[in-house]
């Protein structure tokens, strides 16, 4: 069985940051300015950068379009 490149990204309220689950206990803490690919489903992928203003959001595209992340959601990403 082929291993998926996608990892779960979730918000940790106690650390106040997004974590990528690598299968270990710690996970990987994402920082502002880090790039990753976001799985949109149906073979669609969005290359984006993580940023923090009042809330966490991603920036994507040549026009730097912004989308806010929902802290109660889990996203599939590839670093």
């Amino acid at each position: 069985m082929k291993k998926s490149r996608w990892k779960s990204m979730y918000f940790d309220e106690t650390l106040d940051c997004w974590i990528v689950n690598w299968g270990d206990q710690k996970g990987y803490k994402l920082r502002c300015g880090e790039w990753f690919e976001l799985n949109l489903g149906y073979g669609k992928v969005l290359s984006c950068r993580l940023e923090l203003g009042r809330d966490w959001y991603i920036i994507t595209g040549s026009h730097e379009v912004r989308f806010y992340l929902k802290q109660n959601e889990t996203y599939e990403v590839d670093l």
Side-chain angles (χ1 to χ4, degrees):
M1 183 172 172
K2 187 177 177 182
K3 190 174 181 181
S4 174
R5 73 180 202 172
W6 302 109
K7 307 293 183 217
S8 296
M9 180 180 82
Y10 62 92
F11 188 75
D12 186 309
E13 289 184 29
T14 58
L15 298 174
D16 194 29
C17 67
W18 288 91
I19 306 288
V20 176
N21 184 358
W22 288 104
D24 60 7
Q25 294 179 0
K26 295 181 186 177
Y28 176 76
K29 297 177 192 174
L30 287 171
R31 297 173 181 85
C32 288
E34 290 203 58
W35 285 88
F36 57 89
E37 290 187 330
L38 179 65
N39 183 5
L40 301 177
Y42 302 103
K44 303 292 183 186
V45 175
L46 189 65
S47 180
C48 52
R49 182 177 84 228
L50 183 67
E51 294 295 341
L52 176 63
R54 289 186 187 145
D55 292 311
W56 290 95
Y57 61 95
I58 57 172
I59 295 178
T60 187
S62 59
H63 297 291
E64 296 198 345
V65 177
R66 296 171 184 190
F67 295 100
Y68 283 90
L69 297 172
K70 296 177 77 173
Q71 293 181 3
N72 62 341
E73 293 287 332
T74 299
Y75 299 94
E76 289 187 329
V77 299
D78 183 29
L79 300 179

Coordinates of all heavy atoms in Angstrom, one line a residue:
M1 N 0.8 -1.2 0.0 CA 0.0 0.0 0.0 C 0.9 1.2 0.0 O 1.8 1.4 0.8 CB -0.9 0.0 1.2 CG -1.9 1.1 1.3 SD -3.0 0.8 2.7 CE -3.8 2.3 2.7
K2 N 0.6 2.2 -0.9 CA 1.4 3.4 -1.0 C 1.1 4.3 0.2 O -0.1 4.6 0.5 CB 1.0 4.1 -2.3 CG 1.9 5.3 -2.6 CD 1.6 5.9 -3.9 CE 2.4 7.1 -4.2 NZ 2.2 7.7 -5.4
K3 N 2.1 4.9 0.8 CA 2.0 5.8 1.9 C 1.6 7.2 1.4 O 2.2 7.7 0.4 CB 3.3 5.9 2.6 CG 3.3 6.6 3.9 CD 4.6 6.5 4.7 CE 4.5 7.2 6.0 NZ 5.8 7.1 6.7
S4 N 0.6 7.8 2.0 CA 0.1 9.1 1.6 C 1.1 10.2 2.0 O 1.8 10.1 3.0 CB -1.2 9.4 2.3 OG -1.6 10.7 2.0
R5 N 1.3 11.2 1.1 CA 2.2 12.3 1.4 C 1.5 13.3 2.3 O 2.1 14.2 2.8 CB 2.6 13.0 0.1 CG 1.5 13.8 -0.6 CD 2.0 14.4 -1.8 NE 1.2 15.6 -2.2 CZ 1.5 16.4 -3.1 NH1 2.6 16.2 -3.9 NH2 0.7 17.4 -3.4
W6 N 0.2 13.2 2.5 CA -0.6 14.1 3.3 C -0.5 13.9 4.7 O -0.7 12.7 5.2 CB -2.0 14.2 2.8 CG -2.1 14.6 1.3 CD1 -2.5 13.7 0.3 CD2 -1.8 15.8 0.8 NE1 -2.4 14.4 -0.8 CE2 -2.0 15.7 -0.6 CE3 -1.4 17.0 1.2 CZ2 -1.8 16.7 -1.5 CZ3 -1.1 18.1 0.4 CH2 -1.4 17.9 -1.0
K7 N -0.3 14.9 5.5 CA -0.2 14.8 7.0 C -1.3 15.7 7.5 O -1.7 16.7 6.9 CB 1.1 15.3 7.5 CG 2.3 14.6 6.9 CD 2.3 13.1 7.3 CE 3.6 12.5 6.8 NZ 3.4 11.1 6.3
S8 N -1.8 15.4 8.7 CA -2.9 16.2 9.4 C -2.2 17.4 10.0 O -1.2 17.3 10.7 CB -3.6 15.4 10.4 OG -4.3 14.3 9.9
M9 N -2.9 18.6 9.8 CA -2.5 19.8 10.4 C -3.6 20.3 11.3 O -4.7 20.4 10.8 CB -2.1 20.9 9.4 CG -1.7 22.2 10.0 SD -1.3 23.5 8.8 CE -2.9 24.1 8.4
Y10 N -3.4 20.5 12.6 CA -4.4 20.9 13.5 C -3.9 22.1 14.4 O -2.7 22.2 14.6 CB -4.9 19.7 14.3 CG -3.8 19.2 15.2 CD1 -3.6 19.6 16.5 CD2 -2.9 18.2 14.7 CE1 -2.6 19.1 17.3 CE2 -1.9 17.7 15.5 CZ -1.8 18.1 16.8 OH -0.8 17.6 17.6
F11 N -4.8 22.8 15.0 CA -4.4 23.9 15.9 C -4.4 23.4 17.3 O -5.3 22.7 17.8 CB -5.4 25.0 15.8 CG -5.0 26.3 16.5 CD1 -4.0 27.1 16.0 CD2 -5.5 26.6 17.7 CE1 -3.6 28.2 16.7 CE2 -5.1 27.7 18.4 CZ -4.1 28.5 17.9
D12 N -3.3 23.7 18.0 CA -3.1 23.4 19.4 C -3.3 24.6 20.2 O -2.5 25.5 20.2 CB -1.7 22.8 19.6 CG -1.5 22.3 21.1 OD1 -1.8 23.0 22.0 OD2 -1.1 21.1 21.2
E13 N -4.4 24.7 21.0 CA -4.7 25.9 21.7 C -3.7 26.2 22.8 O -3.4 27.3 23.1 CB -6.1 25.8 22.3 CG -7.2 25.9 21.3 CD -8.6 25.8 21.9 OE1 -8.7 26.3 23.1 OE2 -9.5 25.4 21.3
T14 N -3.2 25.1 23.5 CA -2.3 25.4 24.6 C -0.9 26.0 24.1 O -0.3 26.8 24.8 CB -2.0 24.1 25.4 OG1 -1.5 23.1 24.5 CG2 -3.2 23.5 26.0
L15 N -0.5 25.6 22.9 CA 0.7 26.1 22.3 C 0.4 27.3 21.4 O 1.4 28.0 21.0 CB 1.4 25.0 21.5 CG 1.9 23.8 22.2 CD1 2.4 22.8 21.2 CD2 2.9 24.2 23.3
D16 N -0.8 27.6 21.1 CA -1.2 28.7 20.2 C -0.5 28.6 18.9 O 0.0 29.6 18.4 CB -1.0 30.0 20.9 CG -1.7 31.2 20.2 OD1 -2.8 30.9 19.6 OD2 -1.2 32.3 20.2
C17 N -0.5 27.4 18.3 CA 0.1 27.3 16.9 C -0.4 26.1 16.2 O -1.1 25.3 16.8 CB 1.6 27.2 17.1 SG 2.2 25.7 17.8
W18 N -0.2 26.0 14.9 CA -0.6 24.9 14.1 C 0.5 23.8 14.2 O 1.7 24.1 14.1 CB -0.8 25.4 12.7 CG -2.0 26.2 12.5 CD1 -2.1 27.5 12.6 CD2 -3.4 25.7 12.3 NE1 -3.4 27.9 12.5 CE2 -4.2 26.8 12.3 CE3 -3.9 24.5 12.1 CZ2 -5.6 26.7 12.1 CZ3 -5.3 24.4 12.0 CH2 -6.1 25.5 11.9
I19 N 0.0 22.6 14.3 CA 0.9 21.4 14.4 C 0.6 20.5 13.2 O -0.5 20.2 12.9 CB 0.6 20.6 15.7 CG1 0.7 21.6 16.9 CG2 1.6 19.4 15.8 CD1 2.1 22.0 17.3
V20 N 1.7 19.9 12.6 CA 1.6 18.9 11.6 C 1.9 17.6 12.3 O 3.0 17.4 12.9 CB 2.5 19.1 10.4 CG1 2.5 18.0 9.4 CG2 2.2 20.4 9.7
N21 N 1.0 16.6 12.2 CA 1.2 15.3 12.8 C 2.1 14.4 12.0 O 1.7 14.0 10.9 CB -0.2 14.7 13.0 CG -0.1 13.4 13.8 OD1 0.9 12.9 14.2 ND2 -1.3 12.8 14.0
W22 N 3.3 14.2 12.5 CA 4.2 13.3 11.8 C 4.1 11.9 12.3 O 4.9 11.0 12.0 CB 5.6 13.8 12.0 CG 5.9 15.0 11.2 CD1 6.0 16.3 11.7 CD2 6.1 15.1 9.8 NE1 6.2 17.1 10.7 CE2 6.3 16.5 9.5 CE3 6.1 14.2 8.7 CZ2 6.5 16.9 8.2 CZ3 6.3 14.7 7.5 CH2 6.6 16.0 7.2
G23 N 3.2 11.6 13.3 CA 3.1 10.3 13.8 C 3.8 10.1 15.2 O 3.6 9.2 15.9
D24 N 4.7 11.1 15.5 CA 5.3 11.1 16.8 C 4.5 11.9 17.8 O 3.5 12.4 17.5 CB 6.8 11.6 16.7 CG 6.8 13.1 16.2 OD1 5.8 13.7 16.1 OD2 7.9 13.6 16.0
Q25 N 4.9 11.9 19.0 CA 4.1 12.6 20.0 C 4.2 14.1 20.0 O 3.2 14.7 20.4 CB 4.6 12.1 21.4 CG 4.3 10.6 21.7 CD 4.8 10.2 23.0 OE1 5.3 10.9 23.8 NE2 4.6 8.9 23.3
K26 N 5.3 14.6 19.5 CA 5.4 16.1 19.5 C 4.7 16.7 18.3 O 4.1 17.7 18.4 CB 6.9 16.5 19.4 CG 7.6 16.1 20.7 CD 9.1 16.5 20.5 CE 9.9 16.0 21.7 NZ 11.3 16.4 21.5
G27 N 4.9 16.2 17.1 CA 4.4 16.8 15.9 C 5.4 17.9 15.5 O 6.4 18.2 16.2
Y28 N 5.1 18.6 14.4 CA 6.0 19.7 13.9 C 5.2 21.0 14.0 O 4.1 21.2 13.5 CB 6.3 19.4 12.4 CG 7.1 20.5 11.8 CD1 8.5 20.7 12.1 CD2 6.5 21.4 10.9 CE1 9.2 21.7 11.5 CE2 7.3 22.5 10.3 CZ 8.6 22.6 10.7 OH 9.3 23.6 10.1
K29 N 5.8 22.0 14.7 CA 5.2 23.3 14.9 C 5.4 24.2 13.7 O 6.6 24.4 13.4 CB 5.7 24.0 16.2 CG 5.4 23.2 17.4 CD 6.1 23.9 18.6 CE 6.1 23.1 19.8 NZ 6.8 23.6 21.0
L30 N 4.4 24.6 13.1 CA 4.5 25.5 12.0 C 4.7 27.0 12.5 O 4.1 27.4 13.5 CB 3.3 25.5 11.1 CG 3.1 24.2 10.2 CD1 1.8 24.2 9.5 CD2 4.2 24.2 9.2
R31 N 5.5 27.7 11.8 CA 5.8 29.1 12.1 C 5.3 30.0 11.0 O 5.2 29.6 9.9 CB 7.3 29.3 12.3 CG 7.8 28.5 13.5 CD 9.4 28.6 13.6 NE 9.9 27.8 14.7 CZ 10.2 26.5 14.6 NH1 9.9 25.8 13.5 NH2 10.7 25.9 15.6
C32 N 5.2 31.3 11.3 CA 4.9 32.3 10.3 C 5.9 32.2 9.1 O 7.1 32.1 9.4 CB 4.8 33.7 10.9 SG 3.5 34.0 11.9
G33 N 5.4 32.3 7.9 CA 6.2 32.3 6.7 C 6.5 31.0 6.2 O 7.2 30.9 5.1
E34 N 6.1 29.9 6.8 CA 6.4 28.6 6.3 C 5.4 28.2 5.1 O 4.3 28.5 5.2 CB 6.3 27.5 7.4 CG 7.4 27.6 8.4 CD 7.6 26.3 9.1 OE1 7.9 25.3 8.4 OE2 7.6 26.4 10.3
W35 N 6.0 27.6 4.1 CA 5.3 27.2 2.9 C 4.9 25.8 3.0 O 5.6 24.9 3.5 CB 6.1 27.4 1.6 CG 6.2 28.8 1.2 CD1 7.2 29.7 1.7 CD2 5.4 29.6 0.4 NE1 7.0 30.9 1.1 CE2 5.9 30.9 0.3 CE3 4.3 29.2 -0.4 CZ2 5.3 31.8 -0.5 CZ3 3.7 30.2 -1.2 CH2 4.2 31.5 -1.2
F36 N 3.7 25.4 2.5 CA 3.2 24.1 2.4 C 2.2 24.0 1.3 O 1.7 25.0 0.8 CB 2.7 23.6 3.8 CG 1.6 24.4 4.3 CD1 0.2 24.1 4.0 CD2 1.8 25.5 5.2 CE1 -0.8 24.9 4.6 CE2 0.8 26.2 5.7 CZ -0.5 25.9 5.4
E37 N 1.8 22.7 1.0 CA 0.8 22.5 0.0 C -0.5 22.0 0.8 O -0.4 21.2 1.7 CB 1.2 21.4 -1.0 CG 2.2 22.0 -1.9 CD 2.5 21.0 -3.1 OE1 2.4 19.8 -2.9 OE2 2.8 21.5 -4.2
L38 N -1.6 22.6 0.5 CA -2.9 22.3 1.2 C -3.7 21.4 0.2 O -3.9 21.8 -0.9 CB -3.6 23.6 1.5 CG -4.9 23.5 2.2 CD1 -4.8 22.9 3.6 CD2 -5.6 24.9 2.3
N39 N -4.2 20.3 0.7 CA -5.0 19.4 -0.1 C -6.4 19.9 -0.1 O -7.0 19.9 1.0 CB -4.9 18.0 0.5 CG -5.7 16.9 -0.3 OD1 -6.2 17.3 -1.4 ND2 -5.7 15.7 0.2
L40 N -6.9 20.2 -1.3 CA -8.3 20.7 -1.4 C -9.3 19.6 -1.7 O -10.5 19.8 -1.7 CB -8.4 21.8 -2.4 CG -7.5 23.1 -2.2 CD1 -7.7 24.0 -3.3 CD2 -7.9 23.7 -0.8
G41 N -8.7 18.4 -2.0 CA -9.6 17.3 -2.4 C -9.7 17.2 -3.9 O -9.4 18.1 -4.7
Y42 N -10.1 16.0 -4.4 CA -10.3 15.8 -5.9 C -9.1 16.1 -6.7 O -9.2 16.6 -7.8 CB -11.6 16.5 -6.4 CG -12.8 16.2 -5.6 CD1 -13.3 17.0 -4.7 CD2 -13.5 15.0 -5.9 CE1 -14.5 16.7 -4.0 CE2 -14.6 14.6 -5.2 CZ -15.1 15.5 -4.3 OH -16.3 15.2 -3.6
G43 N -7.9 15.9 -6.1 CA -6.7 16.1 -6.9 C -6.2 17.6 -6.9 O -5.2 17.9 -7.6
K44 N -6.9 18.5 -6.2 CA -6.6 19.9 -6.2 C -5.7 20.2 -5.0 O -6.0 19.8 -3.9 CB -7.8 20.8 -6.2 CG -8.8 20.5 -7.3 CD -8.3 21.0 -8.6 CE -9.3 20.8 -9.6 NZ -8.8 21.1 -11.0
V45 N -4.6 21.0 -5.3 CA -3.6 21.3 -4.3 C -3.4 22.8 -4.4 O -3.3 23.4 -5.5 CB -2.3 20.5 -4.5 CG1 -1.2 21.0 -3.6 CG2 -2.5 19.0 -4.4
L46 N -3.2 23.4 -3.2 CA -3.0 24.9 -3.1 C -1.6 25.1 -2.4 O -1.4 24.7 -1.3 CB -4.1 25.5 -2.4 CG -4.1 27.0 -2.3 CD1 -4.4 27.6 -3.7 CD2 -5.3 27.5 -1.4
S47 N -0.7 25.7 -3.1 CA 0.6 26.1 -2.5 C 0.4 27.4 -1.7 O -0.1 28.4 -2.3 CB 1.7 26.3 -3.6 OG 2.9 26.6 -3.0
C48 N 0.7 27.4 -0.4 CA 0.4 28.6 0.4 C 1.5 28.8 1.5 O 2.3 27.9 1.7 CB -1.0 28.4 1.0 SG -1.3 26.9 1.8
R49 N 1.4 30.0 2.1 CA 2.3 30.4 3.2 C 1.4 30.7 4.4 O 0.4 31.4 4.3 CB 3.0 31.6 2.7 CG 4.0 32.1 3.7 CD 4.8 33.3 3.1 NE 4.0 34.6 3.2 CZ 3.8 35.4 2.2 NH1 4.2 35.2 1.0 NH2 3.1 36.5 2.5
L50 N 1.9 30.3 5.6 CA 1.2 30.5 6.8 C 1.6 31.9 7.4 O 2.8 32.2 7.5 CB 1.5 29.4 7.8 CG 0.8 29.4 9.2 CD1 -0.7 29.2 9.0 CD2 1.4 28.4 10.1
E51 N 0.6 32.6 7.9 CA 0.9 33.9 8.5 C -0.1 34.1 9.7 O -1.1 33.5 9.8 CB 0.7 35.1 7.5 CG 1.7 35.1 6.3 CD 3.1 35.3 6.8 OE1 3.3 35.9 7.9 OE2 4.0 35.0 6.0
L52 N 0.3 35.1 10.5 CA -0.5 35.4 11.7 C -0.8 36.9 11.8 O 0.2 37.7 11.8 CB 0.2 34.9 13.0 CG -0.5 35.2 14.3 CD1 -1.9 34.6 14.4 CD2 0.4 34.8 15.5
G53 N -2.0 37.3 11.9 CA -2.4 38.7 12.1 C -3.2 38.6 13.4 O -2.7 38.1 14.4
R54 N -4.4 39.0 13.4 CA -5.3 38.8 14.6 C -5.6 37.3 14.7 O -5.8 36.8 15.8 CB -6.6 39.6 14.4 CG -6.4 41.0 14.6 CD -7.8 41.7 14.6 NE -7.6 43.2 14.6 CZ -8.3 44.0 13.9 NH1 -9.4 43.6 13.3 NH2 -8.0 45.3 14.0
D55 N -5.7 36.6 13.5 CA -5.9 35.2 13.5 C -5.0 34.6 12.4 O -4.3 35.3 11.7 CB -7.4 34.9 13.0 CG -8.4 35.3 14.0 OD1 -8.3 34.9 15.2 OD2 -9.4 36.0 13.6
W56 N -4.9 33.3 12.5 CA -4.0 32.6 11.5 C -4.7 32.5 10.1 O -5.9 32.3 10.0 CB -3.8 31.1 12.0 CG -2.9 31.0 13.2 CD1 -3.3 31.0 14.5 CD2 -1.5 31.0 13.2 NE1 -2.2 30.9 15.3 CE2 -1.1 31.0 14.5 CE3 -0.5 31.1 12.2 CZ2 0.3 30.9 14.9 CZ3 0.8 31.1 12.6 CH2 1.2 31.0 13.9
Y57 N -3.9 32.7 9.1 CA -4.4 32.7 7.7 C -3.3 32.2 6.8 O -2.1 32.1 7.2 CB -4.9 34.1 7.3 CG -3.9 35.2 7.2 CD1 -3.2 35.5 6.1 CD2 -3.6 35.9 8.4 CE1 -2.2 36.5 6.0 CE2 -2.7 36.9 8.4 CZ -2.0 37.2 7.2 OH -1.1 38.2 7.2
I58 N -3.7 31.8 5.5 CA -2.7 31.4 4.5 C -2.8 32.5 3.4 O -3.8 33.1 3.2 CB -3.0 30.0 4.0 CG1 -4.4 29.9 3.4 CG2 -2.7 29.0 5.0 CD1 -4.7 28.6 2.7
I59 N -1.6 32.6 2.7 CA -1.5 33.5 1.6 C -1.2 32.6 0.4 O -0.3 31.7 0.5 CB -0.5 34.6 1.8 CG1 -0.9 35.5 2.9 CG2 -0.2 35.3 0.5 CD1 0.2 36.6 3.2
T60 N -1.8 32.8 -0.8 CA -1.6 32.0 -1.9 C -1.7 32.9 -3.2 O -2.3 33.9 -3.2 CB -2.6 30.8 -2.0 OG1 -2.2 30.0 -3.1 CG2 -4.0 31.3 -2.2
G61 N -1.0 32.4 -4.2 CA -1.1 33.0 -5.6 C -0.3 34.3 -5.7 O 0.2 34.8 -4.8
S62 N -0.2 34.7 -7.0 CA 0.6 35.9 -7.3 C 0.0 37.2 -6.8 O 0.8 38.1 -6.6 CB 0.8 35.9 -8.8 OG -0.4 36.0 -9.5
H63 N -1.3 37.2 -6.5 CA -1.9 38.3 -6.0 C -2.0 38.3 -4.4 O -2.7 39.1 -3.8 CB -3.3 38.5 -6.6 CG -3.3 38.8 -8.0 ND1 -2.8 39.9 -8.6 CD2 -3.6 38.0 -9.1 CE1 -2.9 39.8 -9.9 NE2 -3.4 38.6 -10.2
E64 N -1.4 37.3 -3.9 CA -1.4 37.1 -2.4 C -2.8 37.1 -1.8 O -3.0 37.9 -0.9 CB -0.4 38.1 -1.7 CG 1.0 37.8 -2.2 CD 2.1 38.4 -1.2 OE1 1.7 39.3 -0.4 OE2 3.2 38.1 -1.3
V65 N -3.6 36.3 -2.3 CA -5.0 36.1 -1.7 C -4.9 35.5 -0.4 O -4.1 34.6 -0.1 CB -5.8 35.3 -2.7 CG1 -7.2 35.0 -2.1 CG2 -5.9 35.9 -4.1
R66 N -5.7 36.0 0.6 CA -5.7 35.5 1.9 C -6.9 34.7 2.3 O -8.0 35.1 1.9 CB -5.5 36.6 2.9 CG -4.2 37.3 2.7 CD -4.1 38.6 3.4 NE -2.8 39.2 3.1 CZ -2.3 40.2 3.7 NH1 -2.9 40.8 4.6 NH2 -1.1 40.7 3.3
F67 N -6.7 33.6 3.0 CA -7.8 32.8 3.5 C -7.5 32.5 5.0 O -6.4 32.1 5.3 CB -7.9 31.4 2.7 CG -8.3 31.6 1.3 CD1 -7.3 31.5 0.3 CD2 -9.6 31.8 0.9 CE1 -7.6 31.6 -1.0 CE2 -9.9 31.9 -0.4 CZ -8.9 31.8 -1.4
Y68 N -8.5 32.7 5.8 CA -8.4 32.5 7.2 C -8.6 31.0 7.5 O -9.5 30.4 6.9 CB -9.3 33.3 8.1 CG -8.8 34.7 8.1 CD1 -9.1 35.7 7.2 CD2 -7.9 35.1 9.1 CE1 -8.6 37.0 7.2 CE2 -7.4 36.4 9.2 CZ -7.8 37.3 8.2 OH -7.2 38.6 8.3
L69 N -7.8 30.4 8.4 CA -7.9 29.1 8.8 C -8.9 29.0 10.0 O -8.9 29.9 10.9 CB -6.5 28.5 9.2 CG -5.5 28.4 8.1 CD1 -4.1 28.0 8.7 CD2 -5.9 27.5 7.1
K70 N -9.6 27.9 10.1 CA -10.6 27.7 11.2 C -9.8 26.8 12.2 O -9.4 25.7 11.9 CB -11.9 27.0 10.7 CG -12.6 27.9 9.8 CD -13.8 27.2 9.2 CE -14.9 27.2 10.3 NZ -16.2 26.7 9.8
Q71 N -9.7 27.3 13.4 CA -9.0 26.6 14.4 C -9.6 25.3 14.9 O -8.9 24.4 15.4 CB -8.7 27.5 15.6 CG -7.8 28.7 15.3 CD -7.5 29.6 16.5 OE1 -8.0 29.3 17.6 NE2 -6.8 30.6 16.2
N72 N -10.9 25.1 14.6 CA -11.5 23.8 15.0 C -11.5 22.8 13.8 O -12.1 21.7 14.0 CB -13.0 24.1 15.5 CG -13.8 24.7 14.4 OD1 -13.3 25.3 13.4 ND2 -15.1 24.6 14.5
E73 N -10.8 23.1 12.7 CA -10.7 22.2 11.6 C -9.4 21.5 11.6 O -8.4 22.1 12.1 CB -10.9 23.0 10.3 CG -12.3 23.5 10.1 CD -13.3 22.5 9.7 OE1 -13.0 21.4 9.2 OE2 -14.5 22.7 10.1
T74 N -9.3 20.4 10.9 CA -8.1 19.7 10.6 C -7.9 19.7 9.1 O -8.8 19.5 8.4 CB -8.1 18.2 11.1 OG1 -8.3 18.3 12.5 CG2 -6.8 17.5 10.8
Y75 N -6.7 20.1 8.7 CA -6.4 20.2 7.2 C -5.3 19.2 6.9 O -4.5 18.8 7.7 CB -5.8 21.6 6.9 CG -6.8 22.7 7.2 CD1 -6.7 23.4 8.5 CD2 -7.7 23.1 6.3 CE1 -7.6 24.4 8.8 CE2 -8.6 24.1 6.6 CZ -8.6 24.8 7.8 OH -9.5 25.8 8.1
E76 N -5.3 18.8 5.6 CA -4.3 17.9 5.1 C -3.3 18.7 4.3 O -3.6 19.5 3.4 CB -4.9 16.8 4.1 CG -5.8 15.8 4.8 CD -6.2 14.7 3.9 OE1 -6.4 15.0 2.6 OE2 -6.4 13.6 4.3
V77 N -2.0 18.5 4.7 CA -0.9 19.3 4.2 C 0.3 18.4 3.8 O 0.4 17.3 4.3 CB -0.5 20.4 5.1 CG1 -1.6 21.4 5.4 CG2 0.1 19.9 6.4
D78 N 1.2 19.0 3.0 CA 2.4 18.4 2.6 C 3.5 19.5 2.7 O 3.4 20.5 2.1 CB 2.4 17.8 1.2 CG 3.7 17.1 0.9 OD1 4.4 16.6 1.8 OD2 4.0 17.0 -0.3
L79 N 4.5 19.2 3.5 CA 5.6 20.2 3.7 C 6.7 20.0 2.7 O 7.0 18.9 2.3 CB 6.2 20.2 5.1 CG 5.2 20.5 6.2 CD1 5.9 20.4 7.5 CD2 4.6 21.9 6.1

